[in-house]
């Protein structure tokens, strides 16, 4: 008896993602260990590691300042500030590179698994040559647009403040009215950012699947996600919330870790391992669900029929094609 066709809803996307990941479990386990596990582990460890490192250095630095000359201490404080800035920048670069590698390799593998192609680790890693830099340029382009939007809101607040002052009114920045206006503006900015992220939710998949990049990729994602924004938002909120909670719980326990207390240290290690492991699994399914959503969006826009004909000659596949979201069985055969 044939398996039921996946449906165009939240659980349908998760079910299809689980099916593909389970069919190539060892392959995706290897990718997770290579790219996703270092990310999730660093997200948990880095914040408290940075605080612990610089707190100890600042304490020793303040003691040395009292014992040395003023000019010497100013020079050392400047060098200490540069070191404190260098570590977050190095970590940001590490997270950026590993996130690009994870997105490219997992998306490539999910696409191959969706079509029933063979999935091999070596070929997947080699595919980074074609998708790594386009992904990086696309994220830079997205960041540029987001920076422009945030700057526009900041400029709007500045213009409004100056206009009120020109009208003869004095603005009290500590007043409830001004604070309330800023909160409303921040809420509007947050909603705009969510809308933008939903429209661009397929950008990473498009870079890997269609060899597009930059602003063209962002426009393509906005087109494909039409009619599926609610589903895209649901996936984004679900994975973002659950992963965020796991990382917060894991990082919160690091502040209570103590080397002198063996049991507390052991509990910290176990909690970090568990939280980073579950966060890694959720990151994997988040990337997989974005790829499956991309395929559903293409099917909904009528762009997948010819690709299926090429991939599944003499076979059949079930995909949801019509606006009523009723799955159809597509038979493809060669004479």
């Amino acid at each position: 008896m044939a398996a039921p066709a996946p449906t165009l809803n939240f659980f349908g996307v998760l079910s299809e993602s689980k099916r593909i990941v389970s069919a190539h479990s060892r392959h995706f386990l290897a990718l997770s260990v290579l790219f996703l596990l270092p990310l999730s582990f660093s997200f948990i460890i880095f914040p408290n590691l940075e605080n612990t490192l610089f707190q100890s250095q600042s304490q020793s630095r303040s003691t040395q300042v009292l014992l040395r000359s003023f000019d010497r201490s100013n020079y050392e404080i400047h060098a200490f500030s540069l070191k404190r800035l260098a570590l977050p920048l190095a970590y940001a670069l590490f997270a950026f590179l590993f996130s690009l590698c994870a997105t490219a390799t997992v998306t490539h593998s999910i696409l191959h698994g969706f079509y029933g192609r063979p999935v091999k680790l070596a070929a997947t890693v080699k595919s980074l040559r074609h998708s790594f830099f386009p992904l990086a340029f696309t994220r830079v382009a997205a960041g540029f647009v987001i920076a422009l939007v945030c700057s526009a809101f900041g400029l709007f607040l500045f213009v409004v403040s100056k206009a009120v002052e020109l009208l003869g009114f004095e603005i009290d920045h500590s007043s409830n009215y001004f604070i309330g206006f800023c909160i409303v503006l921040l809420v509007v900015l947050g909603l705009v950012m969510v809308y933008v992220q939903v429209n661009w939710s397929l950008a990473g998949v498009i870079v890997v699947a269609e060899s597009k990049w930059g602003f063209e990729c962002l426009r393509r994602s906005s087109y494909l996600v039409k009619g599926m924004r609610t589903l895209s938002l649901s996936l984004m909120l679900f994975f973002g919330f659950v992963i965020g909670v796991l990382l917060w719980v894991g990082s919160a326990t690091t502040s209570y870790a103590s080397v002198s207390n063996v049991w507390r240290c052991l509990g910290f290690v176990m909690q970090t391992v568990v939280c980073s492991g579950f966060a890694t699994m959720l990151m994997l399914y988040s990337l997989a669900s974005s790829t499956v959503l991309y395929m559903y969006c293409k099917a909904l826009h009528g762009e997948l029929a010819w690709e299926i004909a090429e991939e599944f000659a003499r076979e059949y596949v079930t995909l949801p094609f019509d606006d009523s979201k009723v799955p159809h069985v597509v038979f493809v055969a060669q004479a």
Side-chain angles (χ1 to χ4, degrees):
M1 183 175 179
T7 54
L8 280 176
N9 56 35
F10 179 83
F11 295 103
V13 172
L14 293 183
S15 176
E16 183 67 10
S17 303
K18 182 178 182 300
R19 182 191 67 80
I20 298 174
V21 172
S22 299
H24 309 280
S25 56
R26 293 182 180 179
H27 175 82
F28 286 106
L29 177 62
L31 291 181
S32 299
V33 171
L34 282 175
F35 302 119
L36 291 175
L37 185 59
L39 270 180
S40 61
F41 183 77
S42 65
F43 287 154
I44 293 174
I45 294 298
F46 176 76
N48 290 285
L49 177 64
E50 182 188 25
N51 291 335
T52 303
L53 177 64
F54 286 111
Q55 279 179 2
S56 60
Q57 288 187 2
S58 62
Q59 289 175 358
S60 62
R61 191 69 58 188
S62 61
T63 304
Q64 294 176 7
V65 165
L66 296 176
L67 302 176
R68 297 184 179 181
S69 64
F70 179 76
D71 294 335
R72 177 78 174 179
S73 63
N74 280 343
Y75 171 78
E76 290 184 354
I77 290 173
H78 179 67
F80 173 72
S81 300
L82 290 178
K83 289 181 180 179
R84 181 152 193 169
L85 182 63
L87 183 60
L89 288 178
Y91 173 70
L93 180 61
F94 162 82
F96 180 73
L97 294 177
F98 270 75
S99 65
L100 290 178
C101 293
T103 301
T105 53
V106 173
T107 301
H108 177 271
S109 301
I110 292 293
L111 287 171
H112 279 245
F114 184 89
Y115 285 120
R117 301 169 186 163
V119 178
K120 297 181 179 180
L121 183 61
T124 300
V125 174
K126 287 181 181 179
S127 69
L128 284 171
R129 295 178 299 178
H130 307 290
S131 56
F132 181 84
F133 289 107
L135 267 175
F137 292 145
T138 302
R139 291 198 179 180
V140 170
F144 176 74
V145 175
I146 290 174
L148 286 181
V149 173
C150 294
S151 301
F153 273 82
L155 181 62
F156 174 76
L157 179 60
F158 175 78
V159 170
V160 170
S161 301
K162 290 301 180 181
V164 171
E165 291 178 355
L166 290 176
L167 292 175
F169 298 97
E170 183 178 352
I171 298 179
D172 182 9
H173 295 87
S174 61
S175 66
N176 294 331
Y177 295 104
F178 182 79
I179 294 175
F181 177 73
C182 291
I183 291 175
V184 170
L185 203 62
L186 286 175
V187 169
V188 174
L189 176 60
L191 293 176
V192 171
M193 289 294 101
V194 170
Y195 180 78
V196 169
Q197 291 299 323
V198 169
N199 279 327
W200 294 349
S201 59
L202 304 179
V205 186
I206 292 172
V207 171
V208 178
E210 302 182 12
S211 299
K212 293 182 172 65
W213 60 278
F215 296 108
E216 180 186 6
C217 181
L218 301 179
R219 288 192 297 268
R220 171 72 171 159
S221 176
S222 299
Y223 166 74
L224 283 180
V225 84
K226 288 180 181 178
M228 303 287 283
R229 290 191 177 96
T230 302
L231 178 56
S232 176
L233 177 63
S234 301
L235 292 169
M236 185 176 68
L237 292 179
F238 171 75
F239 284 109
F241 175 77
V242 178
I243 292 173
V245 168
L246 278 173
L247 295 179
W248 176 77
V249 170
S251 61
T253 57
T254 59
S255 59
Y256 299 103
S258 176
V259 179
S260 59
N261 191 323
V262 177
W263 291 108
R264 182 176 291 182
C265 185
L266 182 61
F268 153 71
V269 171
M270 292 298 297
Q271 183 115 2
T272 302
V273 169
V274 171
C275 289
S276 59
F278 276 105
T280 299
M281 180 186 67
L282 287 169
M283 288 178 185
L284 172 64
Y285 276 94
S286 176
L287 294 172
S289 63
S290 296
T291 309
V292 172
L293 179 63
Y294 162 78
M295 304 304 294
Y296 277 11
C297 289
K298 289 193 69 175
L300 195 65
H301 286 79
E303 299 183 8
L304 205 58
W306 181 250
E307 294 183 17
I308 294 172
E310 293 179 342
E311 293 289 338
F312 294 96
R314 305 176 63 91
E315 299 290 341
Y316 70 90
V317 64
T318 60
L319 280 174
F321 277 96
D322 58 5
D323 294 334
S324 60
K325 301 180 182 179
V326 177
H328 287 240
V329 179
V330 180
F331 293 90
V332 180
Q334 287 182 342

